């Protein structure tokens, strides 16, 4: 290649490199101006517990088509937690839980109309379950505020339990015993409020999850049945709201 051709090639290459596409000069790095601070600093241990207890008693209670309802029920749940902030605003850990529920129905009448009526009496149910859960959390501060914040928790839960249901009395007594295994994957966003530098109140609610349950039941110690249930939840579940106290140490 002659020197003249080399000079011409260099001029053409320089011209191509200097071409600016339309609008390219106006393009800049986009920023949403979201201010993210170290809401949960790296190295913190997070521990806490959620406890709930509810009890109700009915005596000749009436509700819609149910009349003369008499009985009582209670539910108890406890769930301790331990997590570690391995990076600013990111934490991972585990949670275990136990729940127990008992329902006793002495009598109830289901009245659909003046000619259709069903009677239920001497119904007793008790169940308890346990589970272990792996959890991952991402925290988000509300602006520059270090007292109020949000978090999103991803949960992987496996557990099991057993239940007993009896109905009737005397020679008409019948009962079913169940054992079940449960697997759940879910997302539970929440709100956190710091009371001081080390303690906080938390509330979260499940909005997305997949659940798989396998149950084996034995009725009257004779009849054996197995059932499998799987479900997906893509809505806010008000019955999964959890309140708790956590300590950040």
């Amino acid at each position: 290649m002659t020197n003249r051709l080399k000079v011409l090639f260099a001029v053409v290459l320089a011209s191509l490199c200097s071409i600016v596409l339309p609008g390219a000069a106006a393009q800049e790095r986009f920023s949403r101006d979201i201010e993210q601070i170290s809401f949960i600093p790296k190295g913190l241990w997070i521990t806490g517990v959620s406890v709930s207890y509810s009890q109700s008693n009915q005596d000749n209670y009436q509700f819609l088509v149910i009349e003369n309802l008499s009985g009582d029920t209670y539910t108890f749940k406890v769930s301790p937690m331990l997590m570690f902030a391995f990076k600013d605003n990111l934490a991972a850990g585990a949670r275990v839980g136990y729940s127990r529920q008992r329902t006793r129905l002495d009598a109830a009448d289901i009245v659909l109309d003046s000619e259709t009526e069903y009677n239920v009496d001497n119904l007793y149910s008790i169940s308890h379950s346990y589970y272990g859960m792996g959890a991952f959390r991402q925290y988000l501060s509300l602006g520059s505020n270090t007292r109020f914040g949000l978090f999103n928790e991803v949960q992987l839960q496996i557990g099991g339990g057993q239940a007993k249901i009896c109905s009737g009395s005397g020679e008409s007594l019948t009962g079913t015993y169940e054992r079940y295994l449960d697997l759940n994957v879910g997302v539970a966003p929440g709100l956190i409020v710091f009371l001081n530098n080390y303690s906080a109140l938390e509330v979260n609610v499940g909005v997305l999850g997949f659940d798989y349950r396998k149950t084996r039941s034995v009725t009257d110690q004779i009849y054996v049945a197995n059932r499998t249930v799987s479900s997906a939840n893509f809505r806010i579940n008000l019955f999964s709201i959890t309140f708790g106290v956590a300590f950040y140490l």
Side-chain angles (χ1 to χ4, degrees):
M1 181 182 292
T2 63
N3 291 334
R4 182 175 295 180
L5 291 177
K6 291 181 178 180
V7 172
L8 180 61
F9 179 76
V11 172
V12 173
L13 182 61
S15 300
L16 292 176
C17 292
S18 62
I19 294 176
V20 179
L21 296 176
Q27 292 181 357
E28 298 180 356
R29 184 177 179 85
F30 179 75
S31 176
R32 298 185 184 275
D33 296 327
I34 297 179
E35 183 181 359
Q36 180 71 328
I37 65 174
S38 180
F39 187 69
I40 303 297
K42 176 182 178 181
L44 283 183
W45 285 97
I46 306 168
T47 181
V49 62
S50 300
V51 180
S52 65
Y53 177 81
S54 62
Q55 181 178 2
S56 63
N57 295 276
Q58 297 83 28
D59 185 14
N60 292 326
Y61 180 73
Q62 297 186 11
F63 178 74
L64 297 179
V65 298
I66 302 177
E67 299 181 1
N68 303 321
L69 176 64
S70 299
D72 61 85
T73 180
Y74 76 82
T75 302
F76 170 76
K77 297 180 181 179
V78 59
S79 176
M81 171 190 68
L82 179 63
M83 305 183 75
F84 178 74
F86 61 91
K87 189 177 180 180
D88 286 355
N89 300 325
L90 296 177
R95 185 194 300 269
V96 295
Y98 172 80
S99 65
R100 181 182 179 91
Q101 181 177 9
R102 193 209 67 184
T103 301
R104 184 175 61 190
L105 179 63
D106 296 329
D109 298 330
I110 302 176
V111 182
L112 301 179
D113 52 45
S114 59
E115 298 180 354
T116 306
E117 180 178 345
Y118 302 94
N119 299 320
V120 180
D121 57 6
N122 296 320
L123 179 64
Y124 179 84
S125 171
I126 186 169
S127 65
H128 65 88
S129 60
Y130 45 85
Y131 66 86
M133 175 193 299
F136 171 80
R137 277 189 181 185
Q138 181 179 17
Y139 292 86
L140 177 66
S141 62
L142 298 179
S144 59
N145 195 304
T146 58
R147 182 177 294 272
F148 300 93
L150 304 173
F151 66 86
N152 187 34
E153 183 174 305
V154 180
Q155 304 171 341
L156 174 61
Q157 173 183 313
I158 183 171
Q162 53 186 344
K164 180 175 67 174
I165 304 173
C166 300
S167 62
S169 61
E171 296 181 355
S172 62
L173 178 65
T174 181
T176 300
Y177 174 77
E178 294 184 344
R179 295 182 64 92
Y180 56 87
L181 177 67
D182 189 76
L183 175 65
N184 180 273
V185 180
V187 177
L191 172 68
I192 177 173
V193 180
F194 275 90
L195 303 178
N196 53 42
N197 291 334
Y198 306 104
S199 61
L201 296 178
E202 297 181 351
V203 56
N204 62 343
V205 57
V207 298
L208 172 65
F210 174 80
D211 184 76
Y212 172 84
R213 173 172 291 194
K214 184 176 182 180
T215 305
R216 175 182 173 86
S217 60
V218 180
T219 301
D220 297 335
Q221 300 183 359
I222 299 176
Y223 307 102
V224 179
N226 295 278
R227 70 177 183 272
T228 301
V229 178
S230 58
S231 61
N233 174 32
F234 298 94
R235 63 184 184 275
I236 296 178
N237 185 1
L238 297 179
F239 294 99
S240 67
I241 296 179
T242 303
F243 297 88
V245 177
F247 299 93
Y248 291 75
L249 308 174

